[in-house]
Amino acid sequence: MNKLTKIEKYWILYDVANSAFIMMVSTIIPIFFKAIASNAGLSASQSTAYWGYALSISTLIVAFIGPTLGRLADEKDKKKKYFLLFLAMGCIGCAIMGFMQNWLVFLAIFLIARVGYQSANVFYDAMLTDVTSDENSDLVSSYGYALGYIGSCIPFVVCIVLVLNPAMIGLNTMSAIAIAFIITAIWWFGLAMPLARNYKQIHYNPDAKKESFTEVLAELKNTLVKVKNNKPMFMYLLAYFFYIDGVYTIIEMATSYGSDVGISSDQLLLALLLTQIVAFPFAIIFGKLAKKVKTRKLIQISIFGYILIVLFALQLDKAWEFWFLAVCVAMFQGGIQALSRSYFSRMVPKENANEYFGFFDIFGKGASFTGTLLMGVITQITDSSTMGVAGLLILLIVGFILMSKVPQNNADI
């Protein structure tokens, strides 16, 4: 870390900021949703399906607006403005979520907060091309995920203590949960400020001008043609679509799936806290390994690791198995996300980074939409969360095969 520049450190700090929200999405939020859904008469499989649908809808929204916003943000000094807009949207949504007692209203507020989070990340990811060099991008990206994992544990532990022991400060459980959401929102917004204050957009399109929505769509079509004609980029995005599908779905549905197979809430929360702690060193290890081993090869190793994880999850029915699975996920989670981001950042024209990262987001968010929707539909049809998880195997295997067929390119440094 001592070798990193100040702006690289501020960029990494934002991963620490927004990871607190993702930690809530993976733990307290689905448990809270399942509780209010159960009180409203929904079955366990129904609430899991609706949770999957909510994740899918928010993802689809961002996939639709991402490239358009990216195109607009390639104008000079626009990237930070859009970043702050969606940061505020996510933080406000997070802060008020805990006051919602109707399961449908809760899902609606959650959609707003998650769209804010994901949209802000489109611009945050694209900032990587401004804050660091191609040679250092793997390490900086990996440090972001690594410190995000360990840093998010701080507000999470505070929130868990509040939720599990509300009486110690004279609160009931629902009040403690509401405060937990507010703490997370403050953490997220506060740690985002150093990046917001110090970031300068270096790469932008000097020919960019104010355009009508129709003109933006026309330019996006041209960019899509360029992506399609760039075989390494297109093949990588196709592979990314499939393999990141499994990764995101496992991360977002783990708590809900664990609840359905009988793992207690306490065990789920503690196991996922362990995931954050274990993911910290492994994300850094992958970043350092990328200096010696091709990034492509490390991504393939991680995909194979996830295939084994899904196979093990199919028979999961004991708490210790969920703990073991949490550790296995942690070993590959940060590495595959960080290296996927940095691998793509070396492919794109720097002056159009936002626009291209908008398409990167389409493939990533489209995958997340497909995975959570697929798991939700299969779970609802079969009334079995296990069958829903089984559907992820095909996506991971296809992603692994496609990744091996990506032609050599300038990202393979």
Side-chain angles (χ1 to χ4, degrees):
M1 285 289 289
N2 290 334
K3 297 180 181 179
L4 299 178
T5 65
K6 183 177 290 187
I7 192 60
E8 285 175 336
K9 291 178 181 178
Y10 290 151
W11 185 87
I12 289 168
L13 185 62
Y14 182 71
D15 244 322
V16 179
N18 69 13
S19 292
F21 177 69
I22 287 302
M23 192 66 168
M24 292 284 281
V25 172
S26 301
T27 54
I28 293 176
I29 293 178
I31 291 173
F32 179 67
F33 169 69
K34 276 187 165 290
I36 59 177
S38 177
N39 291 339
L42 274 66
S43 69
S45 59
Q46 283 179 319
S47 61
T48 295
Y50 290 137
W51 179 247
Y53 297 153
L55 293 171
S56 298
I57 291 170
S58 64
T59 293
L60 189 62
I61 292 171
V62 177
F64 178 75
I65 66 175
T68 304
L69 292 172
R71 171 73 186 175
L72 295 172
D74 277 327
E75 297 177 32
K76 186 178 181 181
D77 298 328
K78 288 295 181 67
K79 199 180 296 187
K80 184 194 290 188
K81 293 179 181 178
Y82 284 106
F83 169 73
L84 288 173
L85 172 66
F86 287 105
L87 170 66
M89 177 176 164
C91 291
I92 292 170
C94 178
I96 66 176
M97 208 183 305
F99 297 97
M100 305 298 116
Q101 299 301 311
N102 179 282
W103 69 270
L104 196 54
V105 175
F106 177 86
L107 280 186
I109 301 299
F110 170 70
L111 280 174
I112 293 171
R114 193 164 185 265
V115 167
Y117 161 79
Q118 291 182 315
S119 298
N121 269 8
V122 173
F123 306 105
Y124 167 66
D125 288 343
M127 287 177 183
L128 183 61
T129 60
D130 293 315
V131 303
T132 192
S133 63
D134 283 349
E135 293 75 17
N136 218 30
S137 60
D138 281 330
L139 190 62
V140 172
S141 185
S142 296
Y143 264 119
Y145 276 106
L147 293 178
Y149 290 134
I150 201 70
S152 66
C153 293
I154 298 171
F156 177 69
V157 168
V158 173
C159 292
I160 287 300
V161 170
L162 273 176
V163 172
L164 296 182
N165 302 282
M168 69 180 183
I169 54 173
L171 297 173
N172 57 38
T173 300
M174 300 309 291
S175 297
I177 289 174
I179 292 174
F181 280 110
I182 294 172
I183 290 172
T184 301
I186 292 172
W187 174 275
W188 181 5
F189 188 81
L191 293 189
M193 287 302 98
L195 176 64
R197 286 196 300 265
N198 294 279
Y199 168 76
K200 303 293 182 184
Q201 186 171 345
I202 297 172
H203 301 292
Y204 58 90
N205 185 353
D207 299 323
K209 60 184 187 301
K210 291 188 179 297
E211 299 172 307
S212 68
F213 185 70
T214 303
E215 289 173 326
V216 170
L217 290 180
E219 288 299 326
L220 287 174
K221 182 179 178 181
N222 292 335
T223 303
L224 185 58
V225 171
K226 292 177 185 177
V227 170
K228 186 177 179 181
N229 291 336
N230 185 329
K231 190 173 181 180
M233 183 182 290
F234 181 72
M235 285 297 295
Y236 171 66
L237 286 174
L238 201 58
Y240 177 73
F241 174 87
F242 282 97
Y243 76 72
I244 209 66
D245 195 336
V247 175
Y248 285 157
T249 305
I250 289 169
I251 292 170
E252 293 171 338
M253 300 295 286
T255 303
S256 187
Y257 176 65
S259 296
D260 288 354
V261 297
I263 312 301
S264 71
S265 296
D266 290 357
Q267 292 280 353
L268 286 171
L269 294 176
L270 291 173
L272 289 168
L273 177 59
L274 176 65
T275 301
Q276 301 297 104
I277 296 171
V278 174
F280 166 65
F282 275 95
I284 294 176
I285 288 169
F286 270 89
K288 291 184 179 296
L289 281 175
K291 296 288 186 181
K292 301 177 181 179
V293 182
K294 294 291 186 184
T295 304
R296 174 206 300 262
K297 181 63 65 178
L298 292 173
I299 291 174
Q300 287 178 299
I301 291 171
S302 298
I303 298 171
F304 185 72
Y306 268 98
I307 291 173
L308 297 179
I309 285 168
V310 172
L311 287 171
F312 182 81
L314 296 179
Q315 57 78 55
L316 187 151
D317 61 0
K318 299 179 181 65
W320 75 263
E321 291 176 334
F322 191 85
W323 282 77
F324 175 74
L325 198 67
V327 171
C328 292
V329 168
M331 291 172 62
F332 300 105
Q333 181 173 303
I336 195 169
Q337 291 178 282
L339 296 181
S340 295
R341 177 170 62 186
S342 56
Y343 189 79
F344 185 73
S345 74
R346 295 197 293 272
M347 286 184 169
V348 302
K350 301 294 186 289
E351 68 276 8
N352 296 109
N354 277 302
E355 189 174 345
Y356 279 90
F357 265 99
F359 282 104
F360 181 72
D361 205 60
I362 275 191
F363 281 83
K365 298 300 185 290
S368 181
F369 166 80
T370 305
T372 52
L373 180 63
L374 178 67
M375 186 170 173
V377 169
I378 294 176
T379 298
Q380 193 165 33
I381 291 174
T382 63
D383 199 29
S384 169
S385 299
T386 301
M387 292 302 296
V389 171
L392 303 180
L393 271 178
I394 297 173
L395 300 168
L396 287 165
I397 291 170
V398 171
F400 182 86
I401 293 171
L402 289 175
M403 191 66 198
S404 67
K405 296 183 179 299
V406 176
Q408 292 292 315
N409 60 85
N410 62 316
D412 292 310
I413 60 174

